Each structure stands twice: as C-alpha cells, then as structure tokens.
Amino acid sequence: MKIILLEDVKNCGRKGQVKHVSDGYARNYLLPNKLATLATYSALDSLEEEMRQRELEANQELVAIQKLAEGIENLNVYIRASVDENGTLYGGVAKKEIQQAMQDMNFSIDESAIMIDKPIKHTGEYPVTLQFEQGLEAQIKVIVEAEDE
C-alpha cells in the first residue's frame, strides 16, 4: 500500500515521505493512529504544494537571516559592568547580557546564537561570533567598560 507519512515513524520514514508499506501495517497501525494517509492523487498534489510552500518560506527566512547577519557584521556592543580597581568584573559578562545589549540596539538575537570563546571577566574588547541557522555567521565586538567611566 502506498502512503504519505504525516509524522516521523521509527523504522519507516520521515514526515512527508511517500512509502510503500504492507497493507496490514498501514490499516492496523499507521492509518488509525493518524501517522499516515493514503497516497491518492489529490493527497500527492497537496503534499507537493506544501513542499513548495515550505521551500519558499525557507528561502525567505534565509534572506532575512542574511540581511540580519550583514547588518550586524563588525557591530560594537557596549556593556557597562561593576569592576574592582584592577579592572576585573565582579561577575562575568554572560550571553544574556550581550543579548540584552543587542536588543537595546534593536537587534533581536537568540541567546543560543551567541558564541563566546572564553569567559569575559575583565574590561576591554572581545570578539564574539554569532552563529545563525543555515550556517551563517557574523562577528561582533563586545566592549566592556567600567560603570564609573
């Protein structure tokens, strides 16, 4: 029996795939549990249209991420923090603080996209990489200043 998977099914396939399975497996497990639907001509046409729509949305998302990455490349992000007399921070600068500083500059970045090479524990300039989906990256500079400067 030819079916279209509506969900990922272990040892069978991934969502959206068209598969040939035994009649009993389809009738007794896949179809009643709404994990698959019969691969009729209309179902195949709607699957094809859905795939085209997903591809279009993915391309639009890629363009938006590319624009964002180009817009923040070589951006300077300033963070003010409490320091002792040696310039050592009383705490480190975390990803959350960098995300908040960028949000204050009207850049919406997910915290998981921020990659810090080593902990930021002193005042100064630090290169930080932002990794976006589809393998895109942007380099920014985080400048940590003492609060009383």
Side-chain angles (χ1 to χ4, degrees), residues 2-136:
K2 195 172 184 182
I3 52 111
I4 301 171
L5 293 173
L6 300 175
E7 301 288 332
D8 291 350
V9 179
K10 190 175 181 179
N11 298 325
C12 188
R14 301 190 57 86
K15 180 180 178 178
Q17 286 184 323
V18 178
K19 292 291 207 171
H20 285 281
V21 296
S22 68
D23 292 351
Y25 184 53
R27 275 195 314 264
N28 297 325
Y29 179 69
L30 296 175
L31 296 174
N33 290 318
K34 301 200 185 314
L35 298 174
T37 186
L38 291 175
T40 61
Y41 289 116
S42 63
L44 290 171
D45 287 342
S46 65
L47 174 65
E48 193 173 308
E49 180 60 34
E50 184 181 326
M51 297 295 263
R52 273 196 296 270
Q53 189 66 27
R54 276 194 222 154
E55 186 176 332
L56 179 65
E57 289 171 2
N59 287 338
Q60 290 172 344
E61 184 177 321
L62 177 61
V63 168
I65 291 173
Q66 285 174 333
K67 283 183 181 179
L68 177 65
E70 290 171 5
I72 63 175
E73 185 69 33
N74 299 320
L75 181 73
N76 291 335
V77 178
Y78 294 90
I79 296 178
R80 300 182 74 70
S82 300
V83 296
D84 64 11
E85 61 277 347
N86 299 327
T88 304
L89 302 176
Y90 287 117
V93 173
K95 292 179 180 183
K96 190 76 174 166
E97 292 171 295
I98 296 171
Q99 178 192 24
Q100 184 61 47
M102 291 188 73
Q103 200 168 21
D104 293 343
M105 298 170 69
N106 296 323
F107 291 107
S108 179
I109 302 295
D110 189 37
E111 187 178 335
S112 63
I114 301 170
M115 301 295 145
I116 302 174
D117 293 334
K118 52 188 172 183
I120 300 175
K121 302 230 179 231
H122 298 279
T123 57
E125 296 180 4
Y126 298 89
V128 173
T129 302
L130 302 176
Q131 290 183 340
F132 300 103
E133 298 172 5
Q134 287 94 4
L136 296 174

